[in-house]
Amino acid sequence: MPKINSVQTHLLRVLSLVYRHESISRTRLATSTGYSSFLISKLTERLLKGDFIREMGAGESSGGRPPTLLSINPGIGHLVGVHMGTINLRLAVTDMCGRVLAHKIEKSLVDKGPDEALNHLLETIFDLLKAARISRHKLSGVGMGISGLLDRERGITLSWPKVPSWANVPVRSFLEDNLGTFVEVDDTPRTMALAEKRYGKARNSEEFVYLTFGAGIGAALFLHGKLYAGQGGFAGEFGHTTIDEHGPLCSCGNRGCVEALVSASIIIRQAEEGLAMDLSPQLRLITQQNGGRVTLEGISSAAQANDRFCLGLLLETGVRVGTGIVSLVNLLNPELIVLGGGLPKAAGKWLLPSINRVVQERAMQGPSSQVSIVLSDLTEVDWARGAALLVSENALRSALLKAVGS
Amino acid sequence: MPKINSVQTHLLRVLSLVYRHESISRTRLATSTGYSSFLISKLTERLLKGDFIREMGAGESSGGRPPTLLSINPGIGHLVGVHMGTINLRLAVTDMCGRVLAHKIEKSLVDKGPDEALNHLLETIFDLLKAARISRHKLSGVGMGISGLLDRERGITLSWPKVPSWANVPVRSFLEDNLGTFVEVDDTPRTMALAEKRYGKARNSEEFVYLTFGAGIGAALFLHGKLYAGQGGFAGEFGHTTIDEHGPLCSCGNRGCVEALVSASIIIRQAEEGLAMDLSPQLRLITQQNGGRVTLEGISSAAQANDRFCLGLLLETGVRVGTGIVSLVNLLNPELIVLGGGLPKAAGKWLLPSINRVVQERAMQGPSSQVSIVLSDLTEVDWARGAALLVSENALRSALLKAVGS
């Protein structure tokens, strides 16, 4: 990576700040950087001339003439965001403002092994770039969230829960070699948290926890204003918080983890047992209409139709999730916990009240009075948009270096 | 607080860096700040002239002439550190290098109520300053760790576990008014973690967890290179991590918290039950020699003498603590966990192997392979030295402002 000189450092600092805010005045840029208004005026002039930023309408006045607001030129970079789950693949091509120019949701083919899955991913990226009319050479970077276990530094997968053959797969270099662009990978809870911070419910929060409930349970910790990944990038295994030291064995080898007691597949199995014992007339009806398949949505609809078995099942699930969240609230004292992923999307309405009740009852008074627990309202395409944010700062840097030379 | 201008900002930045390192070269100052060597040479010249810093012997050469190392002048400030536990009070007067000029350990009198405890604290501070021959007007600040529940922002106690009458006690303003100096308060696990970072086993760690096992269990999280306190300063309630959702009621209202299953008083009660049932001949002997009182040290000595009951008791305690630590390791992926406080001091030798075994068996492979769990070797006086660090940066700032004017 080429080094940048001190003028470029100043330009990049201002450009990053404009990027991070939807719009910002020169006065606020001066306050945030500590630069003089003279320097800010010179730097923004140069960024305006290079078409990196644009003047928008005027902002709110704090007395005198309302200040002109600056915002990023969306066209200075184009990013691809990828969210590769165990089952589904979500992709988006965005401009620098995060506007989606093309997107796609399909099967990830993770179970077919890395060769097939990665080649399929590459083809899908080419298709999408064509649909968005972005030349491959104009691509500023690819950010990718991966549900497998990662060595982020080296950009390789270490393993994939319940899928063999994903040990030591160099995902990042595969994409870099084939696309000739900058690539970053991280785990899906963290890329989803980036989406939540920029586009979702965590927009105004500097400290929050994002929990995702899909096939497994993941967490991302956003602390001191940035993602916290831990020593080796493994932080966030909230699913493997013990809530019952004598509980059932978990896939991780421990006992009584949250994930061993609550997961989409466990809830569905419990619902199937309820059906077999003829405890749930509404779910039977819904499942018959659904070709015999029990789904989270079906369980939620049955609850909606006042099916007592399904209501009880979701209530109990909420209590278990809530018990895990109690430890999280006591340990981290977060202001916000956002619940995302398939389970909250399908059944959050039923889970949230019992989660909140357990947290209010069981967590310590100080931290429990300060935490808001909310359901994410982001879509699967937003998850891909979030992954693209992994490479956005680098895209700004390259755009600047390309234009002003090094 | 008076504002500082930009030269002062640069001077303070360099002074802080010299302070944070025991010794540092001009070259490294330039790299760390991004300032030019010319600017660094001007700034250090000014700091040397003002006797803020001193030249020490030469450092190691990386080829040419070995660089001269700079270190802080220990005399530019004097700090008082206070560690106020539920039972004991530890105090130290230190210079800016953390050298202890005077110290004292005595009863905190917390149980006598805030009036008596705070007046006693104030008298002890006056005594100590006299012993250290530091005039009250030369004091740069007081940093204080408090085992009660705090509103750090306002510097008041909200409550004190198991001691009434500590609601809304303005500890900080009491000390500020009576000492006429800058005062900061924080909870004791965090001030102990500051000691561990500067003087103890966490010296080389940017991400670690400090756990303290005394009357209760506390934690401090050192993340992204600094203390993490959470939204309202309540972060770190590791003692209230659930490890058995159906376990015994805890004082916090939850069930099966680590603290409800493991604490000094619970271990002592279990040992007393063992004595009553005549299960522990060694402990009986040791307790008789100790005037009939069962202590952690006694239990540890009995274990040392191969008493099977006491060995079993400590082993089981280690398993319980380890089970809580598993969730911490999975969630935060820390490189280091330091165990401090009375219980590890008395019985760490017996606890650590079983803690490590549970963590290796139960935590996920990635994070468990990366974490070291170690026993603190700091003394109670070090805890007071750690509290003083709460006000050290402010002391540098005041010293600078006093000398160069504002």
Side-chain angles (χ1 to χ4, degrees):
Chain A
M1 205 180 280
K3 285 209 171 175
I4 58 178
N5 63 35
S6 92
V7 175
Q8 288 166 347
T9 307
H10 295 327
L11 286 169
L12 184 57
R13 181 124 182 250
V14 169
L15 185 60
S16 287
L17 270 169
V18 176
Y19 170 72
R20 268 175 239 160
H21 296 79
E22 273 171 46
S23 62
I24 187 168
S25 68
R26 287 178 177 81
T27 316
R28 247 192 98 189
L29 283 172
T31 329
S32 301
T33 53
Y35 297 165
S36 67
S37 350
F38 179 77
L39 181 56
I40 288 293
S41 123
K42 286 287 157 199
L43 293 167
T44 51
E45 194 186 312
R46 198 145 160 198
L47 291 172
L48 280 165
K49 215 181 240 169
D51 206 19
F52 292 102
I53 60 172
R54 289 174 174 179
E55 288 192 332
M56 309 173 65
E60 266 180 52
S61 161
S62 59
R65 189 159 56 93
T68 307
L69 294 179
L70 302 168
S71 69
I72 204 95
N73 170 1
I76 57 166
H78 292 96
L79 309 173
V80 167
V82 179
H83 181 106
M84 193 180 226
T86 304
I87 309 294
N88 290 322
L89 179 68
R90 297 89 177 176
L91 293 106
V93 180
T94 75
D95 63 21
M96 282 306 291
C97 287
R99 281 191 301 218
V100 176
L101 307 177
H103 72 272
K104 207 158 200 177
I105 300 179
E106 44 185 84
K107 295 293 163 208
S108 67
L109 309 187
V110 162
D111 56 339
K112 307 274 184 198
D115 276 355
E116 197 166 335
L118 289 180
N119 281 313
H120 172 245
L121 168 63
L122 192 64
E123 277 166 38
T124 316
I125 292 177
F126 285 135
D127 288 352
L128 264 192
L129 288 174
K130 198 178 281 175
R133 300 182 183 203
I134 305 293
S135 142
R136 171 146 64 113
H137 311 289
K138 289 271 171 107
L139 189 58
S140 318
V142 177
M144 181 169 173
I146 300 182
S147 292
L149 207 64
L150 284 179
D151 180 332
R152 296 150 75 228
E153 301 270 314
R154 294 162 61 209
I156 65 175
T157 56
L158 297 172
S159 63
W160 205 297
K162 292 164 205 166
V163 190
S165 81
W166 279 85
N168 299 314
V169 178
V171 176
R172 187 175 62 202
S173 64
F174 172 84
L175 289 179
E176 281 182 343
D177 293 349
N178 284 287
L179 289 163
T181 191
F182 181 75
V183 179
E184 282 279 6
V185 300
D186 208 335
D187 71 2
T188 43
R190 281 196 284 267
T191 56
M192 292 160 99
L194 287 177
E196 215 57 60
K197 171 71 185 148
R198 191 154 177 108
Y199 308 118
K201 295 249 174 103
R203 222 176 287 202
N204 300 314
S205 183
E206 292 302 302
E207 324 268 4
F208 70 95
V209 176
Y210 178 79
L211 298 180
T212 166
F213 299 81
I217 299 178
L221 312 177
F222 201 92
L223 309 174
H224 287 143
K226 58 185 175 179
L227 282 175
Y228 175 79
Q231 166 71 359
F234 297 116
E237 290 291 356
F238 167 73
H240 301 286
T241 297
T242 313
I243 59 175
D244 183 357
E245 58 175 333
H246 309 296
L249 257 181
C250 178
S251 61
C252 75
N254 195 359
R255 289 195 168 275
C257 296
V258 178
E259 191 170 304
L261 294 163
V262 190
S263 76
S265 57
I266 288 172
I267 295 167
I268 287 172
R269 201 191 61 215
Q270 289 171 327
E272 285 168 347
E273 286 165 6
L275 277 186
M277 293 173 71
D278 216 4
L279 297 172
S280 180
Q282 293 297 335
L283 183 60
R284 172 162 308 280
L285 209 67
I286 290 163
T287 304
Q288 279 162 356
Q289 289 161 0
N290 193 23
R293 239 182 100 232
V294 176
T295 62
L296 292 176
E297 290 73 15
I299 296 168
S300 182
S301 303
Q304 182 73 43
N306 225 7
D307 181 282
R308 287 176 60 189
F309 175 82
C310 288
L311 280 172
L313 184 57
L314 294 176
L315 183 82
E316 200 184 327
T317 302
V319 169
R320 249 84 194 262
V321 172
T323 304
I325 290 180
V326 165
S327 297
L328 202 61
V329 166
N330 285 342
L331 186 67
L332 296 177
N333 181 205
E335 59 175 328
L336 178 68
I337 296 177
V338 184
L339 309 180
L343 181 59
K345 184 158 287 185
K349 181 181 162 188
W350 308 103
L351 299 174
L352 196 55
S354 67
I355 291 173
N356 267 319
R357 192 172 48 76
V358 171
V359 170
Q360 291 312 315
E361 271 175 24
R362 290 195 160 209
M364 299 189 75
Q365 203 257 323
S368 72
S369 69
Q370 293 179 329
V371 68
S372 303
I373 305 175
V374 301
L375 300 173
S376 170
D377 55 9
L378 294 184
T379 65
E380 294 183 49
V381 175
D382 292 325
W383 299 349
R385 284 211 293 167
L389 297 173
L390 286 176
V391 293
S392 58
E393 293 281 340
N394 187 275
L396 295 179
R397 188 187 153 104
S398 329
L400 202 61
L401 279 182
K402 211 178 282 170
V404 303
S406 52
Chain B
M1 206 180 280
K3 285 209 172 177
I4 59 179
N5 64 35
S6 91
V7 175
Q8 289 167 345
T9 307
H10 296 325
L11 285 169
L12 185 57
R13 182 125 181 249
V14 170
L15 186 59
S16 288
L17 270 169
V18 176
Y19 170 72
R20 269 177 238 160
H21 297 79
E22 273 173 45
S23 62
I24 188 168
S25 69
R26 288 178 177 80
T27 316
R28 248 192 97 190
L29 283 173
T31 330
S32 301
T33 52
Y35 296 165
S36 67
S37 352
F38 179 78
L39 181 55
I40 288 293
S41 123
K42 285 287 158 200
L43 293 168
T44 52
E45 194 185 312
R46 200 145 160 199
L47 291 171
L48 280 164
K49 215 181 240 169
D51 206 20
F52 292 102
I53 60 174
R54 288 174 175 180
E55 288 191 334
M56 309 172 65
E60 267 180 50
S61 162
S62 59
R65 190 159 56 94
T68 307
L69 295 178
L70 302 168
S71 69
I72 203 94
N73 170 0
I76 56 165
H78 292 95
L79 309 174
V80 168
V82 179
H83 180 106
M84 193 180 228
T86 303
I87 308 295
N88 290 322
L89 178 69
R90 297 91 177 176
L91 293 106
V93 179
T94 76
D95 64 21
M96 282 306 291
C97 288
R99 281 190 304 220
V100 176
L101 307 177
H103 71 272
K104 207 159 201 177
I105 300 180
E106 44 185 83
K107 297 293 165 206
S108 67
L109 309 187
V110 161
D111 57 338
K112 307 275 185 196
D115 275 355
E116 198 167 334
L118 291 180
N119 280 313
H120 172 245
L121 167 64
L122 191 64
E123 276 164 39
T124 316
I125 292 176
F126 285 134
D127 288 352
L128 265 191
L129 288 173
K130 198 178 281 174
R133 300 180 184 205
I134 305 293
S135 141
R136 170 145 65 111
H137 312 290
K138 288 272 172 105
L139 189 58
S140 317
V142 177
M144 181 169 172
I146 300 181
S147 293
L149 207 64
L150 284 179
D151 180 331
R152 294 151 76 229
E153 302 270 313
R154 293 162 61 210
I156 64 175
T157 55
L158 298 172
S159 63
W160 205 298
K162 294 165 203 162
V163 190
S165 80
W166 280 86
N168 299 313
V169 178
V171 177
R172 187 175 61 201
S173 64
F174 172 83
L175 289 178
E176 281 182 343
D177 293 349
N178 284 287
L179 289 163
T181 192
F182 181 75
V183 179
E184 282 280 7
V185 299
D186 207 335
D187 70 3
T188 43
R190 281 197 285 268
T191 56
M192 290 160 100
L194 287 177
E196 215 57 60
K197 170 73 183 146
R198 191 151 178 110
Y199 308 118
K201 296 248 174 108
R203 222 177 287 201
N204 300 313
S205 183
E206 292 301 302
E207 324 268 1
F208 70 94
V209 176
Y210 178 78
L211 298 180
T212 167
F213 299 81
I217 298 178
L221 312 176
F222 201 91
L223 309 174
H224 287 142
K226 55 184 175 179
L227 282 176
Y228 175 79
Q231 166 71 357
F234 296 117
E237 289 292 355
F238 167 74
H240 301 287
T241 297
T242 312
I243 59 174
D244 182 356
E245 60 176 332
H246 309 297
L249 257 182
C250 178
S251 62
C252 75
N254 195 359
R255 287 194 169 277
C257 297
V258 178
E259 191 169 305
L261 294 162
V262 190
S263 75
S265 57
I266 288 171
I267 294 166
I268 288 172
R269 202 191 59 216
Q270 289 172 326
E272 286 169 344
E273 286 166 6
L275 276 187
M277 294 173 71
D278 215 4
L279 297 172
S280 181
Q282 293 297 336
L283 184 60
R284 172 163 308 279
L285 209 66
I286 290 162
T287 305
Q288 279 164 354
Q289 288 161 358
N290 193 23
R293 238 181 100 231
V294 176
T295 62
L296 292 176
E297 290 73 16
I299 296 168
S300 181
S301 303
Q304 182 72 44
N306 225 7
D307 181 283
R308 287 175 61 189
F309 175 81
C310 288
L311 280 171
L313 183 58
L314 293 177
L315 184 83
E316 199 184 326
T317 302
V319 170
R320 249 82 195 263
V321 171
T323 304
I325 290 180
V326 165
S327 298
L328 203 61
V329 166
N330 286 341
L331 185 69
L332 297 177
N333 181 204
E335 59 174 329
L336 179 68
I337 297 177
V338 183
L339 310 179
L343 180 60
K345 184 158 287 188
K349 182 182 163 187
W350 308 104
L351 299 174
L352 196 56
S354 66
I355 291 174
N356 267 318
R357 191 173 49 74
V358 171
V359 170
Q360 291 311 316
E361 272 175 25
R362 290 194 160 208
M364 299 188 75
Q365 203 258 321
S368 72
S369 69
Q370 294 178 329
V371 69
S372 303
I373 305 175
V374 300
L375 300 173
S376 171
D377 54 9
L378 294 184
T379 65
E380 294 183 49
V381 174
D382 291 324
W383 300 347
R385 283 210 295 166
L389 297 172
L390 286 175
V391 293
S392 58
E393 292 282 339
N394 186 275
L396 294 179
R397 188 186 153 104
S398 329
L400 202 61
L401 279 182
K402 212 177 284 173
V404 304
S406 54

